[in-house]
Amino acid sequence: MNITVVGTGYVGLVSGTCLAEIGHSVTCVDIDEDKIKRLEKGEIPIFEPGLDALVLSNVRVGRLKFTTSLPDVIDKTDVIVIAVGTPSRPDGHADLQYVYAVAEQIGQNLKKYTAIVNKSTVPVGTGKEVEDIIRKNYSGEFSVVSCPEFLREGSAVEDFMKPDRVVIGARDDRAAQVLLEVFKGIRGEKLVTTVESAELIKYASNAFLATKISFINEIAQICERAGADIEEVAYGIGLDSRIGPRFLKAGIGWGGSCFPKDVEALDQMAGMYGYDFKLLSAVIEVNNDQRKHFVAKVMEHFEGKLTGKKIAILGLAFKGNTDDIRESAAVDIVRMFAENGADVSAFDYEATKNAQRALEGVAVRYAEDPYDCVNGADVVVIATEWPQFIELDWAKVARLVANPVIFDGRNLFQPERMREHGLTYISIGRNGEFGDQKS
Ligand code: UDX
């Protein structure tokens, strides 16, 4: 089929490229001319493992094209996928101006029946609003479909090609059949439901995953007080097939471009419907507190006096395998340590440039490699779960630091391994050395 994807961010570029990979003829549209030029040259503006090779191979065989003009391609397309950003407004609501702008442009240029697919994460009811906007300028046939994405950064290509499920929210059977055709080349359950249910499935999924993480982070606090080990507790509850082992990793909390935005938007949406989503408010509060607990514990280790202390922070991205620092807990703790007078050095495999922009004006030394980062440090903090940190030569780290103390905000290690190198290893929810000791 001929598919046009509007928006070439994480969702749009991955979706467009993977749709081309499964055989469709795809044109990705973006208003950013420079970005389109770079994409045509095979320059991928985001770090997403495997994406660059897929873009290049599909451009080469002519299944993937790029343009800045939707009107130029709209006549030839069977499906238009809206994959533009829906950032948070200051009041927490999703900002839908970019979605509305695309809908306006579609309405002004549509000539024949087309399925309009909302892949951007949008509040329940947005599908109806998009329909109304298109109807303003176009009286012919079309369908608006909700097809939310469930892509994790760092594994987005795999998540698209091997999803647990494809959710198709459609008002009519014709639209549902079009989308089933689009995803024919993708395995995984295809759930056809209403537009509103599909829109809510997206928010409820992210909110539930965030809830799992905030839940295990609170259990970690209990572990500290009860002398239990959060890794064993998480493993033990995860063996229950009704709970499952994933998204039960205690740490300094969740960040990224989705969880914070989507959880906030769902909380606001509930409020708009007059419902007080008490659980979700607590999930957000627990997450905000988690990174503060962590910083407080490191400060306590220095009796509250951080001035001049050399703190080496390994990791800036909001999670491993990405360059994204949006709502990153790691960036937050860098800022908190620097504001408390510490002499901060930081390292990340991919996210340093993005973090420098986000931390403009904050005194941080950005190291070229992890060993340079920890050299002479009074404490080493692990803030992002980059798998490479596990493979570092920790005996060498032990020789380089001024003070052999590691605070692990992502519980990457077994404590015994670190203690073999003579390192004092403090992590989350384990061995009673982390978490407020207040009873
Ligand atoms: C998330 C959802 O997983 C994905 O389905 C949705 O489409 C977009 O939002 P993403 O934001 O890329 O994906 O990251 P994810 O892997 O979900 O991690 C989110 C945050 O939770 C990260 O900060 C990560 O460090 C943290 N996390 C994740 C934990 O703290 N513990 C865990 O067990 C898992």
Side-chain angles (χ1 to χ4, degrees):
M1 298 175 87
N2 291 317
I3 299 174
T4 299
V5 178
V6 184
T8 57
Y10 281 97
V11 176
L13 186 57
V14 170
S15 302
T17 305
C18 291
L19 287 169
E21 180 66 11
I22 61 172
H24 298 297
S25 172
V26 177
T27 304
C28 287
V29 181
D30 201 297
I31 51 173
D32 181 339
E33 200 150 345
D34 172 53
K35 193 174 187 183
I36 290 295
K37 282 208 178 70
R38 282 188 292 153
L39 284 166
E40 283 171 331
K41 284 189 291 188
E43 284 174 39
I44 312 302
I46 54 175
F47 173 79
E48 194 54 57
L51 182 61
D52 46 358
L54 269 191
V55 169
L56 285 172
S57 61
N58 282 283
V59 166
R60 198 174 299 124
V61 297
R63 276 201 304 260
L64 179 61
K65 300 182 180 71
F66 298 95
T67 179
T68 54
S69 164
L70 174 59
D72 287 357
V73 295
I74 198 165
D75 294 1
K76 298 185 282 296
T77 199
D78 306 308
V79 177
I80 300 175
V81 177
I82 302 176
V84 292
T86 56
S88 285
R89 293 196 323 230
D91 62 4
H93 287 278
D95 179 353
L96 298 174
Q97 62 172 306
Y98 307 110
V99 171
Y100 295 148
V102 174
E104 193 73 37
Q105 204 182 18
I106 291 171
Q108 285 159 359
N109 293 279
L110 215 47
K111 301 275 188 312
K112 63 180 178 64
Y113 176 82
T114 306
I116 318 294
V117 181
N118 254 338
K119 190 156 275 296
S120 300
T121 303
V122 292
V124 176
T126 305
K128 176 77 179 65
E129 292 175 342
V130 167
E131 273 167 16
D132 295 345
I133 291 169
I134 294 173
R135 183 63 69 214
K136 262 186 347 189
N137 297 298
Y138 172 69
S139 56
E141 286 187 308
F142 70 97
S143 301
V144 171
V145 177
S146 167
C147 182
E149 52 83 18
F150 300 98
L151 309 180
R152 288 166 299 157
E153 286 182 27
S155 54
V157 171
E158 190 192 340
D159 288 347
F160 191 98
M161 300 302 268
K162 295 184 194 132
D164 289 338
R165 78 299 205 190
V166 176
V167 173
I168 298 168
R171 284 216 199 298
D172 53 70
D173 191 50
R174 180 178 187 184
Q177 292 311 316
V178 169
L179 267 289
L180 287 169
E181 178 67 18
V182 167
F183 286 96
K184 203 165 58 175
I186 295 275
R187 286 199 316 274
E189 179 162 353
K190 313 291 190 309
L191 165 63
V192 178
T193 181
T194 65
V195 172
E196 287 68 26
S197 296
E199 288 167 338
L200 191 52
I201 286 170
K202 168 66 185 176
Y203 279 104
S205 295
N206 270 3
F208 186 77
L209 291 167
T211 300
K212 265 189 112 171
I213 297 167
S214 283
F215 176 80
I216 206 66
N217 281 337
E218 289 222 280
I219 294 293
Q221 293 285 352
I222 309 294
C223 287
E224 285 305 330
R225 291 157 175 76
D229 181 321
I230 188 59
E231 297 304 318
E232 318 252 316
V233 171
Y235 181 75
I237 65 173
L239 288 173
D240 183 325
S241 60
R242 295 168 302 175
I243 297 173
R246 299 174 69 187
F247 281 69
L248 285 177
K249 187 74 178 165
I252 53 176
W254 40 266
S257 63
C258 294
F259 278 6
K261 162 176 79 70
D262 295 351
V263 166
E264 196 59 48
L266 181 56
D267 200 20
Q268 296 291 339
M269 206 193 302
M272 264 172 36
Y273 290 121
Y275 181 73
D276 174 15
F277 202 148
K278 290 177 278 304
L279 180 63
L280 205 53
S281 305
V283 166
I284 296 167
E285 188 185 346
V286 165
N287 192 59
N288 293 336
D289 288 349
Q290 191 68 0
R291 51 199 78 179
K292 293 175 194 153
H293 288 319
F294 186 77
V295 168
K297 202 60 204 164
V298 176
M299 288 184 71
E300 199 179 297
H301 178 78
F302 291 108
E303 281 102 45
K305 297 189 221 36
L306 279 191
T307 308
K309 292 293 179 196
K310 292 188 74 171
I311 299 190
I313 298 183
L314 295 178
L316 291 163
F318 80 90
K319 69 170 188 175
N321 290 325
T322 183
D323 62 352
D324 198 343
I325 48 86
R326 286 175 284 185
E327 303 290 324
S328 166
V331 166
D332 273 358
I333 67 173
V334 165
R335 188 178 282 111
M336 287 190 256
F337 283 131
E339 283 167 358
N340 280 283
D343 172 6
V344 179
S345 66
F347 168 78
D348 194 281
Y349 289 98
E350 295 292 342
T352 301
K353 272 211 267 353
N354 290 334
Q356 279 173 304
R357 276 196 291 276
L359 287 164
E360 200 174 333
V362 178
V364 181
R365 180 178 72 84
Y366 295 95
E368 290 302 308
D369 70 67
Y371 301 110
D372 172 37
C373 183
V374 303
N375 192 17
D378 295 308
V379 67
V380 174
V381 166
I382 299 170
T384 304
E385 62 276 41
W386 279 103
Q388 294 89 318
F389 290 151
I390 297 172
E391 306 312 322
L392 288 183
D393 176 349
W394 285 91
K396 180 177 175 183
V397 172
R399 291 193 301 274
L400 286 169
V401 293
N403 190 19
V405 177
I406 310 289
F407 275 81
D408 183 355
R410 294 292 181 185
N411 283 14
L412 294 186
F413 296 94
Q414 285 305 328
E416 307 71 57
R417 178 182 163 197
M418 300 308 261
R419 290 179 185 134
E420 277 163 21
H421 300 300
L423 292 163
T424 300
Y425 174 74
I426 298 152
S427 58
I428 290 179
R430 290 191 290 188
N431 53 47
E433 293 176 341
F434 172 78
D436 300 338
Q437 297 307 317
K438 286 194 296 299
S439 54

